[in-house]
Amino acid sequence: MPHRRREHKYTRGIAGYLIGKSHEDHEGMARFVKPYVTRLRDLTDENASFSMLVNGETTQIYREESKQNIRLVGPSYATRPINASAAGKLLAAYEEEESMRRRLITETLTAYTQNTITSPMKLLEEFAAIRGRGYSVSTEEFAPGSAGIAVPVMSREGR
């Protein structure tokens, strides 16, 4: 059931989350991408995940953690910033450019490490570079010692 926050906005409560999560694991996108994400994890011996923009936030829909002892750990359904993660930058790069420009004007870009891009202009340049090469890279932008690569999964229409 939804519950109300102090700002008078409704959010999903724990019961709603659990019902949705059980449905997602058996019927939704996670079920569809699981074999591909698992194979990618096994081929690379690294964490692998599938992310989408959900309400403007980069959200991991499904994740398989590396079996290595040392790895970056985090929950599925975690959000990642558009300026400090490979998936975040990739998904933002393929969003409608004018919409993304407006967002960057109003949003403060948080510096998570010394490598995080906090300049809207530099981030727009990074988005253009991502579209040009077809993939995104993040090296110690979100957490020290972390690195990521993201590639788009495109529809037949190229979206």
Side-chain angles (χ1 to χ4, degrees), residues 44-150:
T44 63
D45 200 24
E46 296 291 345
N47 292 344
S49 62
F50 180 84
S51 298
M52 296 174 66
L53 280 179
V54 178
N55 295 326
E57 297 289 329
T58 303
T59 305
Q60 286 185 357
I61 302 300
Y62 187 77
R63 176 184 172 105
E64 286 286 341
E65 286 193 9
S66 167
K67 295 176 183 175
Q68 295 184 51
N69 289 330
I70 298 174
R71 62 187 179 271
L72 187 62
V73 179
S76 286
Y77 298 94
T79 59
R80 294 288 184 256
I82 63 168
N83 66 316
S85 67
K89 292 188 303 182
L90 179 94
L91 290 169
Y94 284 95
E95 278 293 289
E96 197 273 319
E97 189 170 353
E98 191 53 40
S99 167
M100 192 51 59
R101 283 181 182 278
R102 282 193 303 273
R103 179 177 176 179
L104 292 175
I105 289 170
T106 61
E107 217 173 85
T108 301
L109 298 172
T110 301
Y112 297 91
T113 71
Q114 65 183 16
N115 293 342
T116 305
I117 300 171
T118 57
S119 160
M121 290 309 294
K122 285 186 181 177
L123 194 55
L124 288 169
E125 290 170 8
E126 175 70 3
F127 293 163
I130 290 166
R131 288 188 302 273
R133 69 178 172 259
Y135 64 92
S136 174
V137 176
S138 173
T139 305
E140 295 188 335
E141 293 175 6
F142 185 65
S146 69
I149 301 170

